Amino acid sequence: MTVDAIVIGAGFAGLYAVHRCVSEGLTVLGIEAAPSVGGTWDWNRYPGARCDVESVDYSYSFDEDLQSNWTWTERFAGQPEILAYLDHVADRFDLRRHYEFDTEVVGARFDVGEWVVQTSAGERRGRYLLCATGCLSTLNRPAIAGLTDFAGQVYYTAAWPREDPDLRGKKIGVIGTGSSGIQVVPILAAQAESLVVFQRSPNYTVPMPNHPWSEDDLQRIRQEYPDRRTRSAYAPAGTPHGTYHKSALETEPEEREEALWRRWRDGGVLFSKTFPDQTSVLAANDIARQFAEDRIRDIVIDPEVADDLIPTDHPIGTKRICTDAGYYDTFNRDTFRLVNLRREPIEAITTNGVRTASASYACDVLVFATGFDALTGAMTRIDPVGPGGDRLSEIWADGPVTFLGVMAPRLPNLFSFSGPGSPSVLANMVLHAEVQVDWAVDLMVAARHRGITEVEPRRDAARAWTDHVAEAAERTLFLKAQSSWYLGANIDGKKRVFMPYAGGFGNYRKYLDDAALMGYPGLVLTAR
Ligand code: NA7
């Protein structure tokens, strides 16, 4: 049987895609590798996993009843609560019955007007393929010499066991200091006999002043919701927060300091966009960067450790800024050790720990918080093949080429969400998913009305959009980050290209709106 749409993934984008397709009367099959819904929030169950966007914004906006019937308990929601929310959404809209769970997609090819999807459970066929495969879902498992010799336990934050392991009293080594490492470290530090953090590149992290929402907060939020959603709709990052009203360079030092303190105390990722010129003008960025460095030195007692924790390879915010609950404080404990891998690289993992160029560190447990083959990894692993035999991995060999960050040339009837060429990780991912899914499903519905069976981006239109994405990045400081996964720099051999669209979520959404209003001029529409 051929369905109208196959949706891969049951995270925020996938669940909404299934819901939209069903609402439009399309037949749909969802395929998900995990046993249940949740996507990234199902896999990343490590202790301390938490979203850095406020819960009331990091939630669907498409259904007012859903919005008013769900009560977030905290300002920044933890992984269990976000997963419970997605479970609730799946039940409320009866989405599970459309899914095959525990089923992995291993390939896809377009064959005589339909996508033939190879899965671990056999072939499935659909006229459209909607890839809600996530931008941070393909694990980076570094091949460090000797890993298989290690006699202790090995965990990956992004594939944390469903049953939380008891790590009390263990000697723990954590490899990786991105958001996941920075979130998990203080929790593990509280349980471990000793903790060693192996840091290849330091990141900036802003303490997260999380708190339970009070009844008053919730009442205010319910009243504000319509306005909050309206302000987010075309905002640069898809949240109701803007930058300071003046650029850093036009603001007097005292006023500047006050604005920075306000953002720092507010917590979350917003610090990376305190001033409008902060991500585009180095001198403005330096002001925010100096402020953050001073805060690190305020907290970390040992100045040498503070030196190691202060990034020197990127302007602040050009690599994903992290948010934490006591990360820097942890380094003031005696049982805690920071190992700077730039000074003493890992030589090998041994039976009982990690050997660097300078020392051996005994560990019972190794926790890899080593990130993902971000933005492209999930798609190139499936590696869809178009009607002309073109593989996505070939089409993207010199960096991702997309049309409006949703389609790729030579791959008709295929949409991918939250990936390269769209603001994705630079924006509120939930609103972003809704906007992209709506665009794709609206196109499918319009095609059905007009008897069109195939939609495919014109190659010149995809080239023009991809050039525009590159130009938008060039107007920012993002290209200056040496080790950023935005640039693919964390994966050996990956082409160094700034993958997200840095022109702002609101502008991006206008491009999508215009394309639809103008009848999709960048697409070849075929009736067969
Ligand atoms: P990240 O941010 O990619 O962090 C991964 C960390 O692991 C980072 O510090 C890497 O250093 C380090 N890493 C990767 N490979 C190695 C090897 N081989 N040796 C030592 N260290 C290594 O992933 P996260 O999961 O923390 O966060 C991803 C996003 O999820 C986050 O930004 C939020 O948006 C949610 P590097 O910086 O590459 O030198």
Side-chain angles (χ1 to χ4, degrees):
M1 173 190 151
T2 300
V3 291
D4 292 320
I6 290 180
V7 174
I8 311 175
F12 271 102
L15 289 177
Y16 182 56
V18 168
H19 173 64
R20 263 301 315 266
C21 287
V22 172
S23 307
E24 297 296 343
L26 300 165
T27 51
V28 59
L29 168 67
I31 303 177
E32 167 60 58
S36 185
V37 302
T40 199
W41 296 106
D42 180 60
W43 294 107
N44 287 267
R45 292 164 178 256
Y46 62 87
R50 194 172 284 285
C51 184
D52 54 9
V53 175
E54 285 175 296
S55 53
V56 291
D57 298 317
Y58 194 80
S59 45
Y60 290 118
S61 64
F62 70 87
D63 185 276
E64 278 181 25
D65 286 344
L66 167 66
Q67 184 167 282
S68 49
N69 288 334
W70 178 267
T71 304
W72 292 103
T73 64
E74 292 179 282
R75 185 173 167 220
F76 294 101
Q79 175 270 335
E81 191 171 21
I82 300 174
L83 188 56
Y85 172 75
L86 288 169
D87 267 325
H88 168 78
V89 170
D91 291 338
R92 187 183 177 99
F93 297 101
D94 196 14
L95 302 177
R96 280 178 226 277
R97 69 195 172 91
H98 301 288
Y99 272 94
E100 287 184 15
F101 291 103
D102 288 311
T103 305
E104 195 172 345
V105 172
V106 292
R109 64 172 200 282
F110 194 76
D111 187 26
V112 203
E114 61 186 28
W115 279 99
V116 182
V117 176
Q118 291 96 45
T119 81
S120 49
E123 280 188 355
R124 304 289 182 265
R125 287 165 186 268
R127 275 177 274 282
Y128 288 91
L129 183 58
L130 281 67
C131 302
T133 41
C135 48
L136 294 160
S137 50
T138 304
L139 263 68
N140 175 33
R141 297 176 193 260
I144 300 177
L147 180 57
T148 48
D149 300 335
F150 183 60
Q153 298 150 275
V154 174
Y155 299 107
Y156 291 84
T157 49
W160 200 257
R162 276 159 201 276
E163 194 143 329
D164 200 21
D166 183 0
L167 302 180
R168 278 173 301 180
K170 303 272 190 196
K171 297 187 189 76
I172 304 177
V174 176
I175 301 178
T177 51
S179 292
S180 306
I182 282 173
Q183 286 189 334
V184 81
V185 156
I187 314 269
L188 296 182
Q191 310 172 359
E193 181 193 304
S194 65
L195 186 66
V196 186
V197 171
F198 297 94
Q199 172 194 276
R200 186 163 74 178
S201 320
N203 266 313
Y204 291 99
T205 172
V206 181
M208 180 186 268
N210 197 20
H211 59 78
W213 289 123
S214 67
E215 211 24 70
D216 283 353
D217 289 332
L218 289 167
Q219 225 164 21
R220 175 180 49 80
I221 287 160
R222 280 192 201 107
Q223 276 168 3
E224 277 177 7
Y225 240 136
D227 176 53
R228 206 174 170 109
R229 294 298 197 188
T230 307
R231 277 186 289 140
S232 304
Y234 286 85
T239 67
H241 310 284
T243 57
Y244 195 62
H245 61 281
K246 286 194 281 186
S247 67
L249 298 181
E250 285 168 348
T251 309
E252 290 303 317
E254 211 171 299
E255 185 186 342
R256 224 158 48 193
E257 185 87 352
E258 216 177 286
L260 286 162
W261 268 114
R262 215 171 307 127
R263 270 288 156 94
W264 185 265
R265 291 200 178 104
D266 241 12
V269 289
L270 292 172
F271 185 81
S272 57
K273 296 167 214 152
T274 305
F275 295 104
D277 48 349
Q278 194 176 314
T279 49
S280 53
V281 179
L282 199 54
N285 189 281
D286 279 343
I287 291 165
R289 178 175 163 148
Q290 187 56 52
F291 180 93
E293 290 186 15
D294 292 346
R295 302 293 72 75
I296 299 173
R297 292 192 197 284
D298 285 349
I299 305 171
V300 180
I301 295 166
D302 183 334
E304 282 177 24
V305 177
D307 278 347
D308 278 346
L309 286 168
I310 293 173
T312 53
D313 70 349
H314 66 279
I316 189 164
T318 57
K319 217 176 146 176
R320 176 76 178 199
I321 207 165
C322 306
T323 50
D324 70 281
Y327 181 66
Y328 292 128
D329 257 337
T330 323
F331 293 86
N332 294 328
R333 296 191 201 174
D334 293 343
T335 50
F336 191 94
R337 184 81 192 254
L338 180 71
V339 174
N340 182 340
L341 298 180
R342 300 264 177 228
R343 243 192 339 257
E344 45 171 314
I346 294 178
E347 283 184 344
I349 292 175
T350 59
T351 335
N352 60 356
V354 177
R355 192 179 72 235
T356 69
S358 317
S360 288
Y361 300 91
C363 302
D364 309 316
V365 175
L366 284 178
V367 173
F368 284 86
T370 42
F372 305 89
D373 182 356
L375 289 143
T376 54
M379 286 301 296
T380 51
R381 202 163 53 158
I382 295 172
D383 209 10
V385 185
D390 303 294
R391 296 186 156 274
L392 182 66
S393 56
E394 292 158 5
I395 299 168
W396 284 3
D398 285 328
V401 179
T402 74
F403 177 65
L404 294 173
V406 200
M407 302 184 83
R410 291 179 266 170
L411 299 176
N413 293 10
L414 182 146
F415 303 98
S416 80
F417 307 122
S418 320
S422 69
S424 59
V425 287
L426 305 179
N428 172 357
M429 299 294 295
V430 181
L431 181 56
H432 190 278
E434 288 178 323
V435 166
Q436 287 193 320
V437 166
D438 281 339
W439 190 86
V441 177
D442 288 349
L443 170 55
M444 289 158 61
V445 170
R448 183 176 58 181
H449 284 318
R450 291 163 59 182
I452 286 158
T453 50
E454 279 178 34
V455 297
E456 183 185 337
R458 285 198 340 249
R459 293 179 197 190
D460 61 334
R463 193 64 261 161
W465 176 254
T466 304
D467 289 346
H468 174 63
V469 170
E471 283 155 19
E474 277 157 23
R475 287 195 294 270
T476 71
L477 300 171
F478 283 113
L479 301 179
K480 292 190 181 295
Q482 294 310 312
S483 59
S484 163
W485 56 260
Y486 293 160
L487 284 154
N490 61 326
I491 300 294
D492 288 343
K494 191 162 173 173
K495 182 88 184 170
R496 192 180 167 91
V497 173
F498 187 79
M499 294 176 282
Y501 174 57
F505 171 77
N507 292 334
Y508 172 72
R509 190 172 185 178
K510 283 186 209 138
Y511 280 108
L512 289 178
D513 292 348
D514 287 349
L517 277 171
M518 286 154 52
Y520 308 101
L523 298 180
V524 180
L525 307 173
T526 312
R528 285 194 210 278

